[in-house]
């Protein structure tokens, strides 16, 4: 693993000390070696329940917000600008107990993003994710739109 990936992984792990994530009970649980798969969980606690005893919808979205962006930032490298552009969440059932979201991109998917950006100068990548409960049932489906462009484009 190169030094840049190690540095990014250390920075990403610091999200566990980010006050809004602490307050919501959101925890980054896993990052694989090449930072292409991240697992995030949120336990239901007395301080993060809504009035009906389930996870706040905003907390469910928040637990998914930056992680696809992190995967692309690490794997595309310093020559790319990576930015969250859009997000859509579809709530399927109330979130109770511990919920989990897995963010994953293969190296082939990342290479395809690079090719699209190199061909067009920029792109928006649509990436889906599911939030599941402890029984593996889908609580919510999320779609993130991540804007990617070459840095040299921003100088024009």
């Amino acid at each position: 693993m190169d030094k840049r990936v190690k540095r990014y992984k250390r920075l990403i792990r610091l999200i566990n000390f980010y006050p809004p994530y602490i307050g919501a009970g959101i925890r980054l649980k896993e990052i694989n070696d090449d930072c292409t798969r991240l697992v995030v969980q949120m336990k239901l606690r007395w301080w993060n329940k809504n009035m009906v005893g389930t996870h706040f919808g905003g907390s469910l979205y928040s637990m998914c917000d930056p992680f696809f962006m992190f995967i692309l930032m690490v794997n595309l490298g310093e020559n790319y600008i990576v930015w969250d552009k859009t997000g859509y969440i579809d709530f399927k059932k109330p979130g109770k107990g511990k919920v989990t979201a897995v963010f994953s991109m293969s190296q082939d998917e990342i290479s395809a993003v690079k090719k699209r950006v190199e061909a067009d100068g920029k792109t928006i990548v649509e990436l889906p994710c599911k939030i599941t409960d402890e029984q593996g049932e889908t609580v919510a489906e999320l779609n993130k739109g991540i804007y990617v462009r070459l840095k040299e484009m921003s100088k024009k």
Side-chain angles (χ1 to χ4, degrees), residues 61-110:
Y61 180 85
S62 181
M63 76 180 280
C64 299
D65 192 30
F67 297 103
F68 280 126
M69 188 178 86
F70 291 164
I71 289 171
L72 286 168
M73 287 173 67
V74 171
N75 285 279
L76 291 175
E78 309 273 330
N79 295 326
Y80 294 84
I81 292 173
V82 180
W83 206 251
D84 278 323
K85 176 94 170 129
T86 61
Y88 173 81
I89 191 164
D90 184 13
F91 299 104
K92 301 295 186 180
K93 66 179 265 187
K96 298 178 182 177
K98 181 172 57 178
V99 293
T100 303
V102 178
F103 305 90
S104 182
M105 290 184 76
S106 69
Q107 288 297 339
D108 288 342
E109 289 171 313
I110 294 165

Side-chain angles (χ1 to χ4, degrees), residues 7-74:
R7 185 181 82 235
Y8 268 113
K9 283 179 69 173
R10 278 194 302 271
L11 287 172
I12 292 168
R13 281 191 178 99
L14 288 175
I15 203 159
N16 285 331
F17 301 100
Y18 183 51
Y21 272 28
I22 292 170
I26 298 167
R27 299 284 299 166
L28 173 63
K29 300 301 279 186
E30 296 175 29
I31 304 178
N32 70 347
D33 285 342
D34 62 355
C35 201
T36 56
R37 184 177 183 278
L38 293 87
V39 178
V40 177
Q41 293 181 334
M42 180 171 53
K43 292 180 181 178
L44 188 61
R45 305 274 196 216
W46 65 268
W47 68 82
N48 68 2
K49 284 182 186 180
N50 61 22
M51 286 181 64
V52 295
T54 63
H55 285 289
F56 282 102
S59 295
L60 291 167
Y61 180 85
S62 181
M63 76 180 280
C64 299
D65 192 30
F67 297 103
F68 280 126
M69 188 178 86
F70 291 164
I71 289 171
L72 286 168
M73 287 173 67
V74 171

